[in-house]
Amino acid sequence: MSARTAEATDRAAVPNAEATGRHVEEVLDRLAQRDDREVSAAAEELVRVLMDFYGAGLARIMHLLGSGTGGDGPQALLRDELVTSLLVLHDLHPEDTATRIGRALDSVRRQHPAELGEFDAATGTLRLRATDSGGCGCPSTDQQARQAVEAAVSCFAPEVTSTQWEAAGDRSEPALLQISRRPPTAATAS
């Protein structure tokens, strides 16, 4: 296949914005002609939500490229949760799953430390180990930390469908040692 033929084939595969817009309008018009107004309204809402999502992603890309964030070009895009989710959604992300999971954990590690156990690609299960965050150890705080970690992972690596948390290990508490000022006397001991 010549370079010119390959280029023509590539251009044919790229959707035309005007034709795509007309097609969307035709589908929405067909739905509006049906008696079910609820289905038509849901379809229009779906189109609006997707347009907002992609619009936000494109705006973020333009902002990151225009601001020269960190001076590292594409790396700034790969660190952004919204841009990463769009790239992964369309199987365009250049990094593998393990790298993106690591990036997700790095993005929240200062506030919510967690260590990677392993990822089972067949089941989509990610095992994580909770680490000591230096917090109060309250169940609600631990739950919030886990939710933050899971949210970051879902943005950077949506192929993770479930997480299993393991304890960081047995952390034995030191024995409490009672210290008094002086040994008890016979009078206080009785």
Side-chain angles (χ1 to χ4, degrees), residues 2 12 27 39 54 64 66-67 77 85 103 125 131 148 161 167 172 181 189:
S2 73
V27 171
V39 170
Y54 282 97
L64 290 171
S67 67
L77 297 174
S85 66
R103 189 180 294 278
T125 303
T131 59
T161 56
S172 56
R181 292 185 197 175

Side-chain angles (χ1 to χ4, degrees), residues 24-154:
V24 168
E25 286 296 325
E26 289 169 5
V27 171
L28 290 175
D29 287 344
R30 283 196 322 253
L31 285 170
Q33 292 171 0
R34 296 180 56 129
D35 290 335
D36 194 345
R37 293 188 194 282
E38 193 173 314
V39 170
S40 180
E44 287 184 30
E45 180 182 359
L46 176 61
V47 170
R48 269 193 306 278
V49 167
L50 288 173
M51 292 294 292
D52 289 347
F53 179 65
Y54 282 97
L58 291 170
R60 185 78 58 85
I61 289 170
M62 295 308 295
H63 171 74
L64 290 171
L65 290 176
S67 67
T69 306
D72 57 353
Q75 289 302 313
L77 297 174
L78 299 180
R79 283 192 304 270
D80 186 86
E81 291 179 10
L82 178 59
V83 174
T84 290
S85 66
L86 285 169
L87 292 172
V88 171
L89 180 65
H90 294 284
D91 199 25
L92 296 172
H93 204 288
E95 296 177 333
D96 64 5
T97 303
T99 303
R100 287 184 283 110
I101 290 171
R103 189 180 294 278
L105 295 177
D106 288 344
S107 75
V108 295
R109 190 163 276 138
R110 281 193 175 152
Q111 297 88 7
H112 312 293
E115 292 177 6
L116 177 62
E118 70 177 334
F119 174 63
D120 182 356
T123 63
T125 303
L126 176 65
R127 285 193 9 243
L128 296 169
R129 281 185 290 281
T131 59
D132 185 18
S133 63
C136 66
C138 304
S140 64
T141 304
D142 291 343
Q143 185 62 27
Q144 289 172 346
R146 289 180 181 194
Q147 287 173 346
V149 170
E150 290 170 7
V153 168
S154 73

